[in-house]
Amino acid sequence: MRVLGIETSCDETGIAVYDSEQGLLAHTIFSQIELQAPYGGVVPELASRDHSRRALPLVQAMLEEASLTGKDINGVAYTKGPGLVGALMVGAMLGRALAFGWGVPAIGVHHLEGHLLAPFLEPSPPAFPFLALLVSGGHTELVHVKSFGHYQVIGDTLDDAVGEAFDKTARLLGLNYPGGAALAKMAELGDPKRFHFPRPMIDRPGLDFSFSGLKTFALNTVEKNGNDMQTQADIARAFEDAVVDTLTIKCKRALQQTGLQRLVVAGGVGANTSLRCALRALCEKHNATLYFPRQEFCTDNGAMIAYVGCQRLLAGERADLSVDVKPRWGLEEI
Ligand code: KG4
Ligand code: ZN
């Protein structure tokens, strides 16, 4: 089965074709970062408008480039939620309409299930069950992935997502949205000994996270120490060390608690080099195997939606003609 995937839950328009026999045939992405950066975050109305402007031309260009036409597609998958309601509506309506026009089935996919299963787009995917750390601008979750479709969220953030904490702290240091990667670069020049940020929630049992205190801590540190370049780098370093340490401690706890021996890291913050190193060391010490989807499939993309949609369509699931989206949708409610 050959499935077109459409991802429009936030500020990336992702389009892809996944074939159950041949794997990923084509994928393309358009990021709204330049459009959204002047506003310091994602403006939902602008996101919806840009998706509606880009999505269909992207579908056409990608199909042409892969020498495919609508006749080669046997199903359409779109992101049904969670995400920005208007943005989701654009992808869902387009996906449903294309499926209707082509006379093929459609399916709405859970965005986070896409992230969890993105490693299956790679040549050596993990076997079930595994532990997944989802870290992006919108999510910070530890998930026990038991098998396809069976997910248990064992840790979640009580406030800011980890990427959001990176972006807010980056903004404080004068970096443009989304500042996570730029903050990480700045941190390379920072002195790790100058400031010590707290490791939130590690002295409490459990696997939940809380990151909003860190940006306040960063703000207070700026106010006390000024904002010259070296101080900024030192703050970036202390912030990053605190986040990486906290995530690593919680992953260690989760591996011990569940007895799992495979760890998948997904989401934009998974690009962070220092986090990758820390988790690699953790897994080596605990005889666990670490999996990362390739960089472009860590962040939002259409390939992961096409992959999950393909599995669900093969299992006989279908969306009906009345399109609905779920802006709020827990992983365990799938
Ligand atoms: O998964 P993603 O592309 O989008 C969603 O939020 O769904 O994740 C984007 C987030 C942003 O907050 C960005 O600042 C952060 O990932 N990010 C990073 C790095 N690269 C991207 N955070 C820390 N270090 C990085 N190298
Ligand atoms: Zn995402």
Side-chain angles (χ1 to χ4, degrees):
M1 175 175 253
R2 203 170 271 176
V3 175
L4 175 79
I6 301 174
E7 153 63 36
T8 62
S9 66
C10 190
D11 59 348
E12 257 114 26
T13 319
I15 312 286
V17 178
Y18 183 84
D19 183 297
S20 50
E21 303 295 316
Q22 295 165 277
L24 191 66
L25 297 184
H27 71 103
T28 184
I29 192 142
F30 184 87
S31 167
Q32 299 178 3
I33 281 183
E34 267 177 48
L35 173 78
Q36 304 279 6
Y39 303 93
V42 179
V43 182
E45 181 64 20
L46 289 182
S48 320
R49 285 173 190 232
D50 205 59
H51 285 307
S52 46
R53 206 159 27 229
R54 310 272 174 203
L56 196 49
L58 279 173
V59 170
Q60 188 187 32
M62 182 203 61
L63 289 178
E64 265 174 24
E65 204 179 311
S67 303
L68 296 168
T69 70
K71 291 195 184 68
D72 300 309
I73 305 296
N74 316 114
V76 180
Y78 54 84
T79 305
K80 179 172 175 174
L84 303 170
V85 65
L88 290 167
M89 287 297 293
V90 174
M93 282 304 300
L94 176 64
R96 196 61 197 87
L98 282 175
F100 183 73
W102 289 336
V104 298
I107 185 79
V109 169
H110 195 294
H111 178 79
L112 295 188
E113 184 176 34
H115 276 307
L116 288 181
L117 302 185
F120 288 85
L121 294 161
E122 304 301 348
S124 313
F128 293 113
F130 58 82
L131 176 71
L133 174 69
L134 266 181
V135 276
S136 74
H139 341 281
T140 310
E141 269 154 77
L142 272 166
V143 186
H144 183 163
V145 179
K146 297 178 177 176
S147 60
F148 183 86
H150 295 100
Y151 315 115
Q152 186 188 359
V153 178
I154 56 176
D156 204 343
T157 179
L158 304 179
D159 40 61
D160 291 354
V162 63
E164 191 180 355
F166 262 100
D167 295 342
K168 286 179 177 170
T169 304
R171 194 171 183 188
L172 209 77
L173 300 174
L175 301 167
N176 283 339
Y177 174 84
L183 184 149
K185 203 160 179 13
M186 199 181 229
E188 286 171 17
L189 307 171
D191 172 2
K193 297 213 176 74
R194 178 150 171 224
F195 302 115
H196 182 82
F197 277 41
R199 275 58 175 154
M201 314 258 303
I202 54 161
D203 48 357
R204 285 196 231 170
L207 298 168
D208 286 335
F209 304 95
S210 164
F211 290 106
S212 70
L214 283 180
K215 73 171 185 266
T216 315
F217 201 90
L219 178 66
N220 292 339
T221 313
V222 168
E223 280 172 358
K224 266 193 226 137
N225 297 276
N227 216 358
D228 64 276
M229 260 169 70
Q230 188 56 49
T231 302
Q232 284 181 341
D234 297 342
I235 290 173
R237 177 64 189 258
F239 169 84
E240 186 183 52
D241 284 353
V243 171
V244 168
D245 237 20
T246 305
L247 292 173
T248 309
I249 291 166
K250 291 289 161 94
C251 282
K252 176 178 165 185
R253 225 180 253 180
L255 287 172
Q256 285 170 337
Q257 205 168 299
T258 57
L260 292 168
Q261 282 177 317
R262 288 173 284 270
L263 172 63
V264 163
V265 182
V269 183
N272 187 280
T273 314
S274 148
L275 178 65
R276 286 182 174 229
C277 288
L279 293 178
R280 198 164 288 129
L282 173 75
C283 285
E284 270 167 25
K285 205 165 155 202
H286 290 262
N287 261 335
T289 315
L290 183 62
Y291 298 83
F292 289 105
R294 80 188 81 155
Q295 184 59 43
E296 58 194 327
F297 297 154
C298 262
T299 54
D300 290 351
N301 65 86
M304 65 186 193
I305 302 303
Y307 173 78
V308 172
C310 184
Q311 308 310 313
R312 291 196 169 270
L313 287 168
L314 283 172
E317 285 182 49
R318 303 285 186 264
D320 62 26
L321 289 179
S322 83
V323 181
D324 74 333
V325 295
K326 287 190 169 184
R328 295 180 147 269
W329 189 11
L331 252 180
E332 291 172 355
E333 298 161 37
I334 297 182

